[in-house]
């Protein structure tokens, strides 16, 4: 392990150790996305079982001009800030539409993965040469604050891909309250929610037959080994996902297959009992009433819902 850790690496170490020393043990989903995690997530998005990508792609590829029309307000310049932009394959439809209309706007993609930001800054201008783009590498709200400090134009915040689903209901409420405080009258939020549907269909998206979701979860152990000097034996852990249709929570875990001891460099020694779980991630599913309630409780008003043809997913515009 490196002895001189950067601030980002120290935070990764501290939060990882705190999660593994907690009871029950947990890890933070934001750490899934190193370069290999980005690659595996792209593979997940291409899986047949992962209906979410096609559903939201359907919305953005077929309704971008409607979304753009609601964003444009009397031609006033604005900043489009996309939280957790990933590879922007869906939002590019909206960017194209806005670019076509010759509007004055800047695009600030925000992502915790430095790799994602450098790819976007390199690739998007090839397709949209006039796009005014500035990538912001860091955590959602820190980077939203930074974007707000860079300009005082009105803000349109995009939060797609059901990223909000990676927070439980209370965390989502807290997050949206904090986000709301960073916005002003006239600003907008377009936010994606995966809707409750047949439980088998939901579970299959997080428990695919080719084991890509499993590899995505196990990659975080590999990342800890590589970056924090951990000695996780990947074969001693197994991916497990479950979905509860009552609460709408789809959760994934890694299960320890034996009694074992794992070191995180010199920083911590962690014991695992056989069958003990590490909670890895939640993907919360919503009913439309839950979404409306969440908007109101967080100080927003729901203005328009964009659904895909199957009504699997909704991107909702809040002011
Ligand atoms: C599930 S992917 C979705 C990507 C994209 N929005 C889409 O719909 O295809 C989540 C993205 O959010 C980023 N991310 C996760 N947690 C984050 C955080 N706390 N702050 C900033 N970015 C984060 C990840 O690096 C990843 O690129």
């Amino acid at each position: 392990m490196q002895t001189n850790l950067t601030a980002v690496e120290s935070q990764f170490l501290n939060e990882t150790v705190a999660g593994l020393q907690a009871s029950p043990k947990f890890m933070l989903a934001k750490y899934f996305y190193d370069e290999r995690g980005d690659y595996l997530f792209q593979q997940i998005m291409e899986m047949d079982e992962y209906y979410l990508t096609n559903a939201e792609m359907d919305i953005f590829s077929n309704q971008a001009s409607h979304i753009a029309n609601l964003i444009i307000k009397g031609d006033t310049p604005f900043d489009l800030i996309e939280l957790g932009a990933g590879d922007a394959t869906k939002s590019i439809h909206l960017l194209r539409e806005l670019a076509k209309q010759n509007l004055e706007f800047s695009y600030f993609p925000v992502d915790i993965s430095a790799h994602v930001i450098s790819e976007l800054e390199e690739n998007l201008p090839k397709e949209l040469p006039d796009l005014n783009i500035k990538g912001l590498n860091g955590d959602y709200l820190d980077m939203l604050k930074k974007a707000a400090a860079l300009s005082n134009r009105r803000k349109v915040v995009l939060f797609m891909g059901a990223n909000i689903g990676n927070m439980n209901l209370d965390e989502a409420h807290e997050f949206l309250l904090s986000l709301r405080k960073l916005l002003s009258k006239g600003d907008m939020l377009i936010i994606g929610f995966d809707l409750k549907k047949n439980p088998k269909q939901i579970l299959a998206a997080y428990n695919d037959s080719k084991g890509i979701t499993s590899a995505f979860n196990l990659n975080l152990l590999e990342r800890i080994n590589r970056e924090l000097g951990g000695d996780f034996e990947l074969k001693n852990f197994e991916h497990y996902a479950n979905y509860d249709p009552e609460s709408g929570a789809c959760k994934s875990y890694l299960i320890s297959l034996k009694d074992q001891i794992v070191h995180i460099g010199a920083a911590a020694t962690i014991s695992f009992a056989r069958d003990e779980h590490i909670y890895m991630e939640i993907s919360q599913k919503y009913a439309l009433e839950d979404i409306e309630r969440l908007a109101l409780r967080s100080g927003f008003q729901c203005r328009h819902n964009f659904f895909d043809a199957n009504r699997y997913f909704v991107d909702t515009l809040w002011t």
Side-chain angles (χ1 to χ4, degrees), residues 18-220:
L20 290 174
Q21 286 176 339
S23 178
K25 295 179 170 63
F26 69 91
M27 291 197 178
L28 295 179
K30 64 180 176 182
Y31 292 120
F32 281 130
Y33 300 93
D34 63 347
E35 192 167 340
R36 182 156 169 76
D38 293 339
Y39 166 77
L40 286 166
F41 189 71
Q42 281 187 331
Q43 303 279 302
I44 288 176
M45 291 201 296
E46 285 167 21
M47 291 173 352
D48 291 340
E49 294 98 328
Y50 198 76
Y51 59 85
L52 290 87
T53 309
N54 285 342
E56 201 178 31
M57 185 65 95
D58 176 6
I59 296 171
F60 272 76
S61 57
N62 292 314
Q63 301 178 63
S65 68
H66 189 178
I67 301 173
N69 287 339
L70 294 182
I71 290 178
I72 301 164
K73 282 205 316 192
D75 265 2
T76 51
F78 62 94
D79 292 329
L80 184 66
I81 304 166
E82 180 166 6
L83 305 180
D87 61 8
T89 46
K90 290 170 276 174
S91 42
I92 195 162
H93 291 279
L94 180 61
L95 292 172
R96 274 194 209 115
E97 188 62 37
L98 295 169
K100 219 164 62 185
Q101 305 203 21
N102 254 340
L103 296 163
E104 204 183 326
F105 76 100
S106 300
Y107 176 54
F108 293 102
V110 167
D111 209 286
I112 195 113
S113 162
H115 169 248
V116 153
I117 293 298
S118 62
E119 295 263 303
L120 287 176
E121 285 190 326
E122 190 185 327
N123 294 329
L124 283 182
K126 289 182 193 153
E127 179 166 355
L128 296 167
D130 294 329
L131 183 69
N132 191 359
I133 172 173
K134 176 162 177 46
L136 298 171
N137 174 215
D139 208 74
Y140 299 134
L141 296 181
D142 295 340
M143 293 304 109
L144 182 56
K145 273 184 213 145
K146 196 165 171 182
L150 291 173
S151 116
N152 55 8
R153 288 169 165 185
R154 73 185 171 93
K155 296 184 211 49
V156 178
V157 177
L158 270 185
F159 193 37
M160 299 166 52
N163 291 20
I164 189 77
N166 294 142
M167 300 172 198
N168 67 33
L169 295 169
D170 289 339
E171 289 163 349
H173 177 225
E174 284 296 313
F175 176 81
L176 289 165
L177 277 177
S178 307
L179 183 94
R180 166 73 187 77
K181 288 192 188 127
L182 297 173
L183 301 181
S184 310
K185 199 164 190 280
D187 292 346
M188 293 175 183
L189 170 65
I190 298 173
I191 178 167
F193 290 92
D194 191 19
L195 296 171
K196 285 182 173 172
K197 57 184 70 62
N198 188 309
K200 284 188 186 162
Q201 185 184 359
I202 290 175
L203 187 57
Y206 299 91
N207 199 23
D208 62 288
S209 50
K210 291 196 190 122
I212 301 173
T213 321
S214 165
F216 179 68
N217 279 274
L218 288 166
N219 176 59
L220 182 44

Side-chain angles (χ1 to χ4, degrees), residues 1-6 8-14 16 30-37 112-114 219-232 263-267:
M1 182 179 55
Q2 303 150 26
T3 42
N4 294 322
L5 298 181
T6 63
V8 172
E9 287 162 345
S10 295
Q11 191 184 1
F12 178 30
L13 175 65
N14 294 340
T16 298
K30 64 180 176 182
Y31 292 120
F32 281 130
Y33 300 93
D34 63 347
E35 192 167 340
R36 182 156 169 76
I112 195 113
S113 162
N219 176 59
L220 182 44
L221 304 190
E222 248 177 310
R223 180 176 184 191
I224 293 169
N225 287 352
R226 201 171 45 246
E227 294 182 25
L228 304 178
D231 59 3
F232 279 104
H263 303 94
I264 312 296

